[in-house]
Amino acid sequence: MNEDDIFAKIIRREIPADIVFQDDRVTAFRDISPQAPTHILIVPNKPIPTVNDVTEADEADLGHLFVVAATLAQREGIAENGYRLIVNTNRDGGQVVFHVHMHLLGGRPMGRMVAKPA
Ligand code: DGP
């Protein structure tokens, strides 16, 4: 685990971010490089590096990501039209920040599920 990853610092409010939700399990903040009108990252406060590192002990925290995603989708006004939730893992998944996070993307049609490599 890496207590010094960039998201851990955002969770501890050591560096600025547009935090839209925080409780004792998860923190949600707007992506610095939004790919859609709504692009929020929902992050367990525990610094789990990748989905490969998830254990049964994390089930409550990670299940809570979905509850927060549903709440934020309602709040953002995108629940009815729909949205996409993405969790990238390692190189082929396109993971850049090694602290598990769920992307909440919406506010426009999201297109094909995955892009073909160029
Ligand atoms: P991923 O490829 O799934 O690891 O996505 C990482 C996302 O994190 C990417 O969409 C950009 C976002 N991001 C990276 N650094 C920061 C930061 O310092 N602040 C915020 N708000 N978002 C960040």
Side-chain angles (χ1 to χ4, degrees), residues 18-115:
D18 185 358
I19 293 176
V20 295
F21 178 89
Q22 187 166 46
D23 66 11
D24 60 336
R25 291 188 188 279
V26 313
T27 301
F29 49 90
R30 296 194 190 276
D31 195 289
I32 203 167
S33 177
Q35 304 298 307
T38 290
H39 188 171
I40 294 171
L41 302 173
I42 310 169
V43 180
N45 293 341
K46 179 180 172 183
I48 307 163
T50 82
V51 172
N52 291 334
D53 303 297
V54 166
T55 72
E56 286 185 14
D58 302 316
E59 281 181 356
D61 285 355
L62 298 181
H64 195 49
L65 296 184
F66 281 88
V67 175
V68 173
T71 300
L72 292 177
Q74 287 287 350
R75 197 188 286 174
E76 294 283 311
I78 60 173
E80 189 173 339
N81 281 355
Y83 50 90
R84 184 165 293 163
L85 301 174
I86 298 174
V87 181
N88 296 320
T89 300
N90 278 346
R91 184 192 58 204
D92 282 1
Q95 186 176 8
V96 173
V97 177
F98 288 85
H99 183 138
V100 165
H101 52 280
M102 174 187 279
H103 296 255
L104 167 61
L105 292 146
R108 65 165 172 80
M110 298 310 301
R112 292 167 59 89
M113 188 168 70
V114 291

